[in-house]
Amino acid sequence: MSTEVIHQVEEALDEDEKKMLLFLCRDVAADVAPLNVRDLLDILSERGMLSAMGLAELLYRVRRFDLLKRIFKMDRKAVEAHLLRHPRLISDYRVLMTEIGGNLEKSDLSSLFFLMRDYTGRDKVAKDKSFLDLVIELEKLNLIAPDQLELLEKCLKNIHRVDLKTKIQKYKQSAQGAGTSYTNALQAAFPNLSLKDPSCNLRHIPEERYRMQSKPLGICLIIDCIGNDTEFLRDTFTSLGYEVQYFLYLSMDSIIQILRQVACMPQHQDYDSFVCVLVSRGGSHSVFGVDQTHSGFPLDHIRRMFMGDACPSLLGKPKLFFIQNYVASEDPLDNGSLLEVDGPAVNNVESKAPQPGPGTIHREADFLWSLCKADVSLLERPYSSPSLYLQCLSQKLGKERRRPLLELHIELNGSVYDWNSRVSAKEREIEPESTSGENGRGRGRSRLPT
């Protein structure tokens, strides 16, 4: 996370929001006692523990949706859907405490302080302090913890806030069903696109990421039916350590044939990942190739070719798709462009990727699906230019390969967003939007946008 973004956030928050953010992160930075928000975010960033989505989560928790929009080009619903499908930076316990504090009236808080005097002493918590200050003091006295909330429940009942007591009971039921282990959300990365810097102190964060060590890292299949992007894409993915195979100006039937052949390649069992880049004319949910057709080949069928049951040699490994689709004007450019992510796959980066059966990893897991749409009229000019989306992607992968892939994709989204704000409707590209999915041990991907 850049120091400029950290400074922006720190400057924009008021004192209550800063106190709330520091409280939310007490478990994430358990071994340090940052004096302020800037120090906290800087420490987390240096340790590789603060991704763009992690900071977006924090802004969501302190209800600064204006900063989400301004800094990350994301809205409230986008973050909510991400949190539904990805491990969270902040524990449900911390979120629960902030929600309870936000729902307490001044009279409620005064009564709580009075009731707690038998446990904290008369002078432990001043009356002008907040509910979160009270929680911190109770934590220090081992009177409250994620699995120890009986005292708080009792006091809430005594001040007739049964609604908040019910919140705690729902949290406890949820924790029993899902466990109480909360880890930072780690994303799949390209070779040398480290999830964490090896020098970081990881004692407090269980590491979970894909193995990306095979040589080559995998096959990178490039199918370019337009002809503007192959050269720089080939150079980018070759430099990242992939075996690049590229094909130009294919018909729809040839696209299908090549995809089927690549999906059946035995080499996948020795490689750690797979990349597919597809550039073509098409419809909202299909590609045409160089054919003059109105139906096309459904994009969803392409994905199915590489699912766990159809391509078992890639089961549990990241499968990364980047698609630039030029859509005819009669086929509206809807907001269906999605980045769908399912990961992580293995717990130990040093261990060989496992070969589990379909009962262990869902057939649809471990996909990153990034689709950008543009009007086909962009190709009808005398000198059509390369895809802005793919150019920006290539530049970011080439220059910032050590950063998490999802973080780069959020910035890529911002680049396309900025371009769209400066050009006419016909020149715009529908930017890929972040969405979430279950991880490699979960139930499969999600279509819910985040």
Side-chain angles (χ1 to χ4, degrees), residues 276-287:
C276 178
V277 185
L278 177 58
V279 188
S280 177
R281 291 176 175 83
S284 290
H285 306 288
S286 63
V287 292

Side-chain angles (χ1 to χ4, degrees), residues 110-388:
S110 175
S111 297
L112 271 180
F113 281 137
F114 180 79
L115 289 171
M116 291 293 182
R117 283 168 60 178
D118 287 343
Y119 303 95
T120 63
R122 291 180 178 271
D123 302 322
K124 279 289 186 180
V125 181
K127 291 183 178 180
D128 61 341
K129 295 296 184 180
S130 69
F131 173 74
L132 297 183
D133 292 322
L134 174 62
V135 171
I136 291 172
E137 187 58 39
L138 292 172
E139 287 176 343
K140 291 177 181 178
L141 296 171
N142 294 319
L143 294 172
I144 190 172
D147 58 351
Q148 186 180 341
L149 296 170
E150 291 75 19
L151 175 60
L152 183 56
E153 285 184 86
K154 176 184 175 181
C155 291
L156 288 172
K157 180 180 178 181
N158 286 337
I159 66 172
H160 310 293
R161 289 305 304 266
V162 179
D163 58 322
L164 299 181
K165 180 176 181 289
T166 301
K167 273 184 174 286
I168 295 178
Q169 291 172 337
K170 289 181 178 179
Y171 156 80
K172 291 166 73 173
Q173 292 171 356
S174 175
Q176 289 173 356
T180 56
S181 176
Y182 301 94
T183 60
N184 192 16
L186 305 180
Q187 295 90 10
F190 279 117
N192 302 319
L193 279 168
S194 298
L195 295 170
K196 292 183 177 293
D197 190 307
S199 64
C200 291
N201 180 356
L202 301 178
R203 289 176 298 173
H204 302 282
I205 302 294
E207 184 166 298
E208 188 178 59
R209 66 184 195 181
Y210 290 104
R211 181 188 190 275
M212 297 290 278
Q213 295 181 343
S214 63
K215 294 184 179 180
L217 282 156
I219 300 295
C220 172
L221 173 64
I222 300 174
I223 298 177
D224 186 356
C225 299
I226 307 302
N228 292 331
D229 304 291
T230 298
E231 186 174 348
F232 68 82
L233 289 171
R234 180 190 60 202
D235 292 343
T236 296
F237 286 99
T238 298
S239 70
L240 289 171
Y242 282 87
E243 177 186 322
V244 176
Q245 299 184 11
Y246 62 93
F247 300 87
L248 291 167
Y249 311 118
L250 297 183
S251 66
M252 189 176 68
D253 288 342
S254 296
I255 291 175
I256 297 170
Q257 181 182 1
I258 292 296
L259 287 168
R260 285 175 176 166
Q261 289 175 354
V262 172
C264 295
M265 290 177 62
Q267 293 96 311
H268 292 312
Q269 65 185 355
D270 299 319
Y271 299 157
D272 288 338
S273 62
F274 170 72
V275 176
C276 178
V277 185
L278 177 58
V279 188
S280 177
R281 291 176 175 83
S284 290
H285 306 288
S286 63
V287 292
F288 298 161
V290 296
D291 302 53
Q292 298 296 321
T293 178
H294 295 288
S295 57
F297 186 63
L299 290 169
D300 198 48
H301 288 189
I302 295 176
R303 182 174 6 218
R304 291 178 191 173
M305 292 182 182
F306 295 89
M307 288 182 182
D309 52 353
C311 187
S313 57
L314 284 175
L315 192 66
K317 302 175 184 180
K319 295 165 278 286
L320 316 172
F321 289 78
F322 302 95
I323 300 172
Q324 173 69 73
N325 209 11
Y326 292 93
V327 181
S329 56
E330 60 267 19
D331 194 351
L333 286 174
D334 59 24
N335 282 314
S337 53
L338 299 175
L339 169 63
E340 298 188 6
V341 182
D342 295 282
V346 286
N347 291 328
N348 185 350
V349 74
E350 300 300 331
S351 64
K352 183 67 179 177
Q355 301 295 327
T360 305
I361 297 182
H362 197 281
R363 60 192 287 269
E364 298 182 59
D366 309 300
F367 274 87
L368 184 151
W369 187 264
S370 178
L371 168 62
C372 187
K373 300 174 188 175
D375 196 286
V376 72
S377 63
L378 292 176
L379 303 176
E380 296 169 357
R381 300 175 178 181
Y383 300 100
S384 62
S385 58
S387 159
L388 170 73

Side-chain angles (χ1 to χ4, degrees), residues 21-52:
L21 195 148
L22 289 170
F23 175 83
L24 288 167
C25 291
R26 283 179 66 84
D27 302 325
V28 183
D31 61 327
V32 295
L35 299 176
N36 53 51
V37 166
R38 183 175 63 186
D39 290 344
L40 169 69
L41 298 180
D42 189 45
I43 290 169
L44 296 180
S45 180
E46 285 183 357
R47 293 183 175 187
M49 296 164 61
L50 186 68
S51 66

